[in-house]
């Protein structure tokens, strides 16, 4: 993003809501994000509608990661208490069959490589239901995500956890939060 100069900008987190439809569609259609997603196909309109409903209803753990644009400039920023906030990404967590939770994080390209993913994981992972562990499934060639999760306290899961969480995918690395940051 042009004009973004801060290495560690101020981040805020807010619950995902239906007004985030366009932002989420932008993320879902991003070719770079699709390339590292477990499902590389962009969702259909109806698929996206179901996804939005799932993540905005009930007790879903879904946060929009926002950056305080006092550190730069952006066209699509929203005002909140005099601050310019730009949606930069999403943090999502869902319960796994058999116990535990799976987390994922996705950022717009302009905000990658700045440590934002690691900072969001450190801040939000402790809010996740983790009876049975907190896991992340990452394509093994997605080195940036592996690094962000490792820097946030995730370690390579045991073979037993991999069997339970990976859905048998050999191209997936399963990481488990060690409970320490």
């Amino acid at each position: 993003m042009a004009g973004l100069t801060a290495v560690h900008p101020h981040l805020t987190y807010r619950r995902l809501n239906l007004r985030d439809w366009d932002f989420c569609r932008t993320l879902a259609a991003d070719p770079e994000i699709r390339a590292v997603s477990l499902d590389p196909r962009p969702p259909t309109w109806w698929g996206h509608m179901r996804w939005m409903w799932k993540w905005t209803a009930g007790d879903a753990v879904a946060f929009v990661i926002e950056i305080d644009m006092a550190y730069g400039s952006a066209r699509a920023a929203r005002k909140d208490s005099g601050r310019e906030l730009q949606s930069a990404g999403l943090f999502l967590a869902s319960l796994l069959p058999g116990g535990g939770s799976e987390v994922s994080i996705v950022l717009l390209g302009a905000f990658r490589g700045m440590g934002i993913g690691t900072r969001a994981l450190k801040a939000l992972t402790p809010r996740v239901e983790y009876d049975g562990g907190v896991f992340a499934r990452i394509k093994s060639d997605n080195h940036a995500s592996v690094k962000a999760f490792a820097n946030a306290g995730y370690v390579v899961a045991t073979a037993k956890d991999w069997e339970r969480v990976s859905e048998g995918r050999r191209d997936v690395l399963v990481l488990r939060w060690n409970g320490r940051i």
Side-chain angles (χ1 to χ4, degrees), residues 77-162:
R78 73 177 179 87
K79 292 219 183 251
D80 181 17
S81 304
R83 296 180 299 163
E84 294 273 335
L85 298 177
Q86 167 70 43
S87 297
L90 296 174
F91 172 92
L92 307 167
S94 58
L95 295 176
L96 289 167
S101 298
E102 178 181 4
V103 301
S104 61
I105 193 164
V106 61
L107 296 172
L108 289 171
F111 297 105
R112 295 183 201 133
M114 298 172 61
I116 292 171
T118 298
R119 288 181 58 211
L121 286 165
K122 285 180 176 181
L124 297 171
T125 297
R127 296 182 181 197
V128 173
E129 171 68 40
Y130 59 89
D131 186 26
V134 177
F135 299 92
R137 291 184 306 150
I138 304 170
K139 284 177 74 174
S140 54
D141 61 350
N142 187 351
H143 305 292
S145 276
V146 171
K147 181 180 176 184
F149 277 88
N151 288 339
Y154 286 75
V155 296
V156 175
T158 65
K160 182 179 177 183
D161 286 334
W162 184 88

Side-chain angles (χ1 to χ4, degrees), residues 1-13 23 64-89 107-112 114 116 119:
M1 179 146 285
L4 194 61
T5 58
V7 175
H8 296 289
H10 178 71
L11 300 178
T12 60
Y13 312 101
F23 174 65
V64 176
I65 302 162
E66 294 182 319
I67 185 170
D68 185 339
M69 295 310 292
Y71 295 95
S73 60
R75 292 183 299 277
R78 73 177 179 87
K79 292 219 183 251
D80 181 17
S81 304
R83 296 180 299 163
E84 294 273 335
L85 298 177
Q86 167 70 43
S87 297
L107 296 172
L108 289 171
F111 297 105
R112 295 183 201 133
M114 298 172 61
I116 292 171
R119 288 181 58 211

